[in-house]
Amino acid sequence: MVDIKHIQTEVDASFLYGVLAKNEEDANVAEVFKQMSEIELSHAVAFLKKNKLGESQLPPPSLRARILNKIGKFFGYDYILGVLLDTEKSLASATMKARGGVSTSISDTAHVAILKNILNNHPKVSGSNLARFEKRHRSVGGNALRAAVLGGNDGLVSNFSLVMGIAGASSGQKEVLLTGCAGLLAGALSMALGEWISVKSSQELYENQMDLEMEEIENNPEGEEKELALIYQAKGIPADQAIVMAKEIMKDKEKAHEVLIKEELGIDPEDIKGSAMEAALSSFFMFAVGAVLPVIPFFFMGGTPAVLLSTLLSALGLFLIGASITLFTGKSVLYSGFRQVLFGLAAAAVTFGIGKLIGVSILG
């Protein structure tokens, strides 16, 4: 029996790499993406042939792939690259199993490695382009949109549960509305502050370590030169060559500092350039968007109708969040959506029940 899901995976990857190729300004890197698109398509064709099917039976790009293309127009096409790179390992694992050993011209390893190999071996792709690709790989990764989805989920689930707990304990519209708004603001501010502290403290830690490394270079250049040589030796470079490399690098203090913070401390300067305030505002906004959904009905009504409408709006929001998560996982939209709804409703039901018990106890 043919597993259409795995064929679809290959077709979608081919389509998305094709999108990247069409929208890449650098002709050489565009060629890399074009080759990746052809590789993915060859996987799909090979799998069809294994199952005695023709190329005419290749499915079109899925709705998920088309949505990712649309998102790329707003968030930048580097976002699509990020999603592809983030999911390649799981995709490779799934398609290897599905192909059952079908031989293709490219080894079925993680495609991040394939991309790097193509970039390294492509005759027209320079080292600067490879460095640019690496920078983009680190900086995109789908992290912004993933954080937005998770932030919205946190806001919706936590405030929905809070609102249901108060609604269970009290039938008053004003009480529920006040609690919901307070929960929204408290949660959003807490998320924003936590994100700001996280980003800022990481930046300050890295900056402190980088300053200390520069002091060591200035005060003990011989010791730092030996350390650098040992790092290269640990990578398998012969001792004599490692010593020569370290000596050459240490002639330029700035270059030596750049190399040592990467090799010795494992710090990339690009990692500390993010804005802590931007991260905080993003967290605040996305949490608030999720948290406001269960509160909306209580602006206009109270009692059971408000509870039912709040549950309906929250369930819809939970389903959309679950469906959005499939952009990263590639799983079934219905499965992920209804799973999110089930978990969210279960949490709200527990707090509603507890609220009911507390309310009866107080009134009794």
Side-chain angles (χ1 to χ4, degrees):
M1 182 177 178
V2 181
D3 191 339
I4 298 298
K5 177 182 177 182
H6 297 303
I7 298 176
Q8 189 69 64
T9 295
E10 305 285 15
V11 170
D12 287 354
S14 176
F15 168 74
L16 291 173
Y17 278 120
V19 169
L20 290 176
K22 290 177 182 177
N23 292 279
E24 174 57 51
E25 295 179 358
D26 187 292
N28 297 323
V29 177
E31 176 63 22
V32 170
F33 291 138
K34 181 182 177 183
Q35 288 186 43
M36 283 302 301
S37 177
E38 293 170 355
I39 290 168
E40 296 288 5
L41 185 60
S42 73
H43 288 169
V45 171
F47 189 64
L48 283 172
K49 289 181 178 178
K50 178 178 182 287
N51 290 277
K52 298 180 173 59
L53 299 173
E55 292 185 32
S56 61
Q57 292 175 275
L58 275 175
S62 68
L63 176 62
R64 171 180 179 264
R66 297 198 300 273
I67 290 174
L68 284 171
N69 181 27
K70 296 293 185 183
I71 290 174
K73 293 180 179 180
F74 293 98
F75 286 87
Y77 288 98
D78 281 354
Y79 167 73
I80 295 178
L81 173 62
V83 170
L84 283 168
L85 291 171
D86 277 354
T87 58
E88 280 291 15
K89 288 184 179 180
S90 60
L91 291 176
S93 175
T95 51
M96 280 171 61
K97 181 178 179 181
R99 283 195 290 271
V102 173
S103 176
T104 61
S105 60
I106 300 295
S107 174
D108 287 319
T109 56
H111 286 179
V112 174
I114 293 176
L115 280 170
K116 290 179 181 179
N117 287 335
I118 293 175
L119 284 164
N120 274 315
N121 298 321
H122 196 288
K124 293 184 179 180
V125 176
S126 65
S128 61
N129 274 331
L130 178 58
R132 184 167 68 92
F133 172 83
E134 290 285 5
K135 177 181 176 182
R136 290 166 62 183
H137 176 194
R138 288 191 302 270
S139 62
V140 290
N143 286 332
L145 192 57
R146 184 188 294 106
V149 170
L150 296 179
N153 179 68
D154 288 345
L156 175 52
V157 173
S158 63
N159 218 36
F160 180 35
S161 298
L162 177 63
V163 164
M164 288 299 104
I166 299 301
S170 169
S171 59
Q173 176 185 353
K174 291 181 179 179
E175 292 88 340
V176 179
L177 181 60
L178 177 61
T179 302
C181 290
L184 184 157
L185 286 173
L189 287 170
S190 176
M191 286 285 290
L193 180 59
E195 190 67 22
W196 185 87
I197 291 173
S198 175
V199 173
K200 201 66 179 175
S201 60
S202 294
Q203 290 175 337
E204 290 171 351
L205 174 62
Y206 287 160
E207 288 168 356
N208 183 56
Q209 290 177 321
M210 291 166 65
D211 289 342
L212 289 174
E213 191 63 38
M214 178 57 81
E215 287 182 16
E216 290 178 0
I217 292 173
E218 292 175 343
N219 297 326
N220 185 20
E222 296 82 5
E224 292 301 299
E225 184 178 316
K226 289 180 181 179
E227 284 185 7
L228 188 55
L230 288 173
I231 289 172
Y232 287 141
Q233 288 180 52
K235 291 185 174 184
I237 297 173
D240 292 344
Q241 184 180 348
I243 291 171
V244 171
M245 289 172 63
K247 191 179 292 295
E248 185 64 28
I249 289 172
M250 290 299 294
K251 290 179 180 178
D252 184 334
K253 187 166 63 176
E254 294 299 326
K255 182 180 179 182
H257 182 244
E258 181 180 343
V259 171
L260 280 164
I261 61 174
K262 286 184 179 180
E263 299 290 351
E264 184 178 342
L265 303 178
I267 297 174
D268 192 310
E270 294 295 329
D271 293 339
I272 64 174
K273 291 184 178 179
S275 168
M277 185 56 68
E278 183 180 326
L281 290 174
S282 175
S283 294
F284 181 95
F285 176 75
M286 292 316 304
F287 186 96
V289 167
V292 76
L293 282 178
V295 181
I296 290 174
F298 293 95
F299 281 100
F300 311 104
M301 63 184 79
T304 300
V307 170
L308 293 176
L309 184 55
S310 176
T311 301
L312 180 62
L313 286 176
S314 298
L316 178 61
L318 288 165
F319 183 86
L320 291 175
I321 288 171
S324 299
I325 291 172
T326 65
L327 292 175
F328 315 115
T329 65
K331 299 293 184 181
S332 164
V333 170
L334 290 177
Y335 172 79
S336 294
F338 282 117
R339 179 180 63 181
Q340 202 76 10
V341 171
L342 179 62
F343 290 157
L345 291 181
V350 170
T351 57
F352 184 84
I354 293 173
K356 229 15 172 181
L357 289 173
I358 293 174
V360 169
S361 174
I362 293 173
L363 292 175

